[in-house]
Amino acid sequence: MSFATWIAFVIAGSLIAISPGSGAVLSMSHGLAYGLKKASATVLGLQLGLVLVLVIAGAGVGSLLLASSVAFTAVKVIGALYLIYLGISQWRAAPAPGPTASTAGLEAHPSFGKRVLTGFLTNTTNPKGIIFMVAVLPQFIAKDAPLLTQLAILGVTMVAIDSIVMHGYAALAASMQRFMRDPRHMRLQNRVFGAVLVLIGSMLFFVKRQPA
């Protein structure tokens, strides 16, 4: 892989990461709800999910998934329902009373493992991510160079870019915590992020399978 090809992938990867999606919404939601430090667990989960998506796409399994109507529909429905579930849970979350209002809308912070799992499932159940990676990765892989080495370079690069961007989203949201301590503001925050997650989940139902 040439340096020019890698730079082109960095640019493409940055545009992919910055574009709004379920990962960005989740990072901002958890950044506002739990603060940047605890939202890092969510970002870690997102990156673990991204690694799995990259492996699936790079191994060619993604192409097989897109070729199978049943498998694609199953992944699409699971991903859509999971995001809708997250959105409804966020919408219904009650503001924390009294001095613990810094929890920004949840009665108790989920455990580290639960936050990691939420991020992981958000990325791995998103068929749009698999579709995009299957379409993008081959454009940056040279046929005359070792495949695994190139996939490793592209994977590490993409994870690094996405980690920075998702932490940026979480930090931006966390910086607004002091303005969101009022129960009314926390309830509004829950409903806004909840509605966005439900909307993104609902939109997944309209994602179409590419022809085999």
Side-chain angles (χ1 to χ4, degrees):
M1 178 187 300
S2 68
F3 181 72
T5 299
W6 180 78
I7 289 296
F9 182 77
V10 169
I11 295 173
S14 298
L15 293 176
I16 295 169
I18 293 172
S19 61
S22 55
V25 173
L26 188 66
S27 297
M28 293 183 69
S29 175
H30 284 197
L32 186 57
Y34 317 132
L36 177 59
K37 184 176 181 179
K38 291 190 174 182
S40 293
T42 307
V43 176
L44 173 60
L46 288 170
Q47 302 320 307
L48 293 176
L50 177 60
V51 169
L52 180 58
V53 170
L54 287 167
V55 170
I56 289 174
V61 178
S63 298
L64 295 176
L65 177 63
L66 296 184
S68 170
S69 177
V70 174
F72 179 81
T73 300
V75 171
K76 180 174 70 172
V77 170
I78 291 172
L81 292 178
Y82 181 69
L83 288 179
I84 291 173
Y85 163 76
L86 288 181
I88 292 175
S89 298
Q90 184 80 22
W91 178 283
R92 297 178 61 186
T100 59
S102 60
T103 54
L106 295 179
E107 294 179 353
H109 290 180
S111 65
F112 174 87
K114 186 173 182 179
R115 279 173 279 144
V116 172
L117 181 62
T118 299
F120 176 78
L121 291 177
T122 297
N123 262 355
T124 55
T125 58
N126 185 358
K128 293 180 68 175
I130 297 176
I131 291 173
F132 201 88
M133 287 304 168
V134 169
V136 169
L137 279 184
Q139 312 302 320
F140 298 93
I141 294 178
K143 296 181 179 180
D144 56 347
L147 176 61
L148 291 180
T149 301
Q150 294 182 84
L151 287 177
I153 293 173
L154 295 178
V156 170
T157 301
M158 191 67 214
V159 167
I161 292 171
D162 199 65
S163 294
I164 294 172
V165 172
M166 293 304 112
H167 273 103
Y169 277 127
L172 177 63
S175 67
M176 300 174 62
Q177 274 190 322
R178 62 182 182 275
F179 303 113
M180 303 295 288
R181 296 181 184 275
D182 183 271
R184 292 174 299 175
H185 292 161
M186 289 187 287
R187 187 176 294 109
L188 176 62
Q189 170 240 309
N190 283 340
R191 292 184 175 180
V192 168
F193 281 113
V196 172
L197 285 170
V198 169
L199 176 62
I200 293 175
S202 300
M203 290 174 63
L204 287 185
F205 285 115
F206 299 97
V207 174
K208 296 185 180 296
R209 182 173 64 94
Q210 292 180 344

